[in-house]
Amino acid sequence: MADDILALESFLPYRLNRLADAVSREFAGTYRDRHGLTRPEWRVFATLGQFGTMTATAIGAHSAMHKTKVSRAVVALEQRKWLMRTPDASDRRIEHLALTKAGVTAYREMVPLAKAFEKELLRRLKRAQATALMEGLTALEAGLLGSGAASAPGTAHQSITTLPELPLFMASKPSR
Amino acid sequence: MADDILALESFLPYRLNRLADAVSREFAGTYRDRHGLTRPEWRVFATLGQFGTMTATAIGAHSAMHKTKVSRAVVALEQRKWLMRTPDASDRRIEHLALTKAGVTAYREMVPLAKAFEKELLRRLKRAQATALMEGLTALEAGLLGSGAASAPGTAHQSITTLPELPLFMASKPSR
DNA sequence: GTAAATTTGTTTCAAACGTAACCATCGAAA
DNA sequence: TTTCGATGGTTACGTTTGAAACAAATTTAC
């Protein structure tokens, strides 16, 4: 590789981003059929499902989401009747957030799907002898982005099962 | 870990996304001071810098970007005088895109920055004995997202050098 | 040779986004 | 106790986004 050229296919940040995006889209495909959550909504949902009751700030810190995203996701989940707010006894700025019964039910349905999805991801990694990080990334790229994607310009990406929309996790900027 | 709980901190897609986002932001910090490219613009720019002349479709396929993103990025780079369009001789639908002299100059300045950034990323990985993929991801998370980020809710993310904005690579949906 | 289908790239439109400004509340300092 | 800075969370505003519709050119099918 010439020294004055940056080979994108092997540039770690680039690979990470393409890979993360492809994984999100793929997972969305396994899940979006059930309910149409946005990425922030899914994240808040999954965080509350895991930890039970939390404040909006805590969710944002844990999942690296901007507080406005959390705020809007909370509103959306609330309208969906999956989330409930409870005012704090001693500090009226704080709201304790938790999943409703319906939310917990949905969460219980989601968990096995997510685990199965991850298992499949890891299976692909294993099969490609993904022991080192770079090898692992390469294997995932090959599996998710199509074989030629990272090597030849103009290559189609048909192997990605077409996913019209619906993002899922995607981090964003944490509130400073 | 209970079987009916999904532990987000160790959920591969979640980790990948948070990690990719953190890496993007960090890299943006090293680069955004020079010029204020958006993510799609940076991608088109880097792709053309690497491959020379390409069509918009080829760029989209290679970098997994939606064609509208490519279209808008091309317009922006053209206005910046970093990109030039040349009509195809035999097919008038096609435009061949290439960096201008100014674009190439900017590219030459960018390449060493990107390489240095990646080197630093890999150095962190090595130091954390990132031989296996999961270990590598963990190391990157520890380095980029703050030590407690992935383990305890409510943990601050101060270790991310604050990056007001400017995305960089981020994949998107390839045109079908 | 012409109609239909495809391809290339742009535009439109509604949704999602981040920044900044904002309100309300709290804690600390004087 | 009053004031002032910090904190929890929402709202407003301009920008970015993807899906879908589109125009223009080309290829395919008949």
Side-chain angles (χ1 to χ4, degrees):
Chain A
M1 175 52 60
D3 214 41
D4 57 347
I5 292 286
L6 179 70
L8 283 177
E9 317 79 71
S10 56
F11 185 50
L12 183 55
Y14 181 84
R15 297 172 80 184
L16 270 177
N17 272 284
R18 279 216 323 193
L19 182 59
D21 187 68
V23 169
S24 274
R25 288 177 191 285
E26 185 109 356
F27 179 60
T30 75
Y31 185 64
R32 68 183 230 92
D33 299 330
R34 318 250 163 179
H35 327 280
L37 297 182
T38 65
R39 273 181 287 212
E41 283 161 32
W42 190 92
R43 282 197 165 202
V44 169
F45 170 60
T47 304
L48 285 178
Q50 178 180 3
F51 294 107
T53 299
M54 285 175 93
T55 66
T57 299
I59 293 174
H62 185 260
S63 59
M65 276 202 297
H66 190 91
K67 61 179 182 174
T68 60
K69 263 189 184 172
V70 175
S71 176
R72 290 185 258 239
V74 165
V75 169
L77 289 171
E78 192 179 22
Q79 287 175 345
R80 196 185 286 262
K81 310 281 192 200
W82 281 8
L83 180 148
M84 200 179 44
R85 309 185 194 224
T86 314
D88 184 88
S90 60
D91 188 339
R92 278 183 296 173
R93 292 172 303 180
I94 296 176
E95 288 173 322
H96 297 283
L97 308 173
L99 295 185
T100 62
K101 199 160 185 175
V104 170
T105 300
Y107 182 76
R108 290 222 181 92
E109 287 174 16
M110 181 276 284
V111 169
L113 293 179
K115 290 194 174 180
F117 178 80
E118 185 185 35
K119 199 171 191 174
E120 170 61 20
L121 269 191
L122 291 174
R123 193 188 62 74
R124 293 191 208 181
L125 273 181
K126 284 289 201 301
R127 194 182 50 184
Q129 303 143 343
T131 48
L133 173 69
M134 292 313 233
E135 285 178 20
L137 290 177
T138 300
L140 265 177
E141 277 179 359
L144 290 169
L145 290 173
S147 53
S151 53
T155 305
H157 287 241
Q158 307 302 3
S159 69
I160 301 178
T161 49
T162 47
L163 302 176
E165 221 266 315
L166 181 53
L168 282 189
F169 347 72
M170 243 351 266
S172 67
K173 184 188 169 194
S175 58
R176 44 193 152 131
Chain B
M1 176 54 59
D3 214 40
D4 56 347
I5 292 286
L6 179 69
L8 282 178
E9 319 78 73
S10 56
F11 185 50
L12 183 55
Y14 181 84
R15 297 172 80 186
L16 270 177
N17 272 285
R18 278 216 325 192
L19 181 59
D21 186 67
V23 169
S24 274
R25 287 177 192 285
E26 184 110 356
F27 179 60
T30 75
Y31 185 62
R32 69 185 230 91
D33 300 328
R34 317 249 164 181
H35 325 281
L37 296 182
T38 66
R39 272 181 290 211
E41 283 162 29
W42 191 92
R43 282 197 165 204
V44 169
F45 170 60
T47 304
L48 285 178
Q50 178 180 1
F51 295 107
T53 300
M54 288 175 90
T55 66
T57 300
I59 292 174
H62 185 260
S63 59
M65 277 203 296
H66 190 93
K67 61 180 180 174
T68 61
K69 263 189 186 171
V70 175
S71 175
R72 290 184 257 239
V74 165
V75 169
L77 289 172
E78 192 179 21
Q79 288 174 344
R80 197 185 286 262
K81 310 283 191 198
W82 281 8
L83 180 149
M84 202 180 43
R85 309 184 194 225
T86 314
D88 185 87
S90 60
D91 188 338
R92 277 182 297 172
R93 291 172 306 182
I94 297 175
E95 288 172 323
H96 297 283
L97 308 173
L99 296 185
T100 61
K101 199 159 183 174
V104 171
T105 300
Y107 181 76
R108 291 222 181 93
E109 287 174 15
M110 181 276 284
V111 169
L113 294 178
K115 290 195 174 181
F117 178 80
E118 185 184 34
K119 199 171 189 174
E120 170 60 20
L121 269 191
L122 292 174
R123 193 187 63 73
R124 293 191 208 179
L125 273 181
K126 285 287 201 297
R127 193 182 51 187
Q129 304 145 341
T131 47
L133 172 69
M134 291 314 234
E135 286 178 18
L137 290 177
T138 300
L140 264 177
E141 278 180 359
L144 290 170
L145 289 174
S147 52
S151 53
T155 304
H157 286 241
Q158 308 300 3
S159 68
I160 300 179
T161 50
T162 48
L163 303 176
E165 221 268 315
L166 180 55
L168 282 192
F169 347 72
M170 243 353 264
S172 68
K173 185 188 170 194
S175 58
R176 41 192 151 138

